Amino acid sequence: MLGASTFYKGNRIQIMSAHIEESDYDFHPFYYGRVVNITEQGFVKVACNDGLLVVSKIKYDGVLSAPNEVIKISNILHTPAHILEKARTETFRTFDMDQNPKI
């Protein structure tokens, strides 16, 4: 799987392109993951501990999309705890990984 992945309304999305943008506002940790802005270019700005994660390209249902075509303001990107725990504790050999994963 290329890119980071998370969940939006229970469905997995893959973040294909993003960058961190500084913010004058320090978000409370409970606010991390919330979509706080959608730009004119269709980018989605998400609150995070380092400022804002600006997502410019996603893959949703296997299709490359502009984030604003799928994600709406005030909604939350969130990875469930059981998936984070699994990622933290499992180890994969590179040769055993699927080279063409389907999302």
Side-chain angles (χ1 to χ4, degrees):
M1 181 181 303
L2 299 174
S5 68
T6 190
F7 289 78
Y8 175 70
K9 293 188 173 184
N11 297 311
R12 186 183 293 267
I13 64 168
Q14 195 171 351
I15 298 173
M16 303 303 291
S17 180
H19 66 275
I20 296 292
E21 182 178 283
E22 288 186 19
S23 173
D24 294 333
Y25 187 78
D26 290 326
F27 296 104
H28 188 281
F30 289 169
Y31 212 72
Y32 296 167
R34 184 161 309 268
V35 177
V36 296
N37 191 14
I38 297 177
T39 70
E40 290 181 12
Q41 299 94 338
F43 299 170
V44 171
K45 294 187 178 187
V46 182
C48 64
N49 65 342
D50 289 331
L52 295 166
L53 177 67
V54 182
V55 181
S56 54
K57 190 185 311 179
I58 64 168
K59 191 180 268 191
Y60 184 75
D61 283 339
V63 178
L64 280 175
S65 303
N68 69 325
E69 294 175 0
V70 176
I71 301 169
K72 304 301 176 208
I73 198 160
S74 242
N75 289 146
I76 298 171
L77 303 181
H78 172 75
T79 304
H82 72 278
I83 292 174
L84 292 172
E85 182 64 21
K86 183 177 178 183
R88 188 177 76 82
T89 59
E90 287 189 359
T91 321
F92 296 98
R93 290 183 10 186
T94 305
F95 292 115
D96 293 336
M97 292 179 166
D98 185 356
Q99 298 302 310
N100 297 302
K102 306 233 182 333
I103 295 182

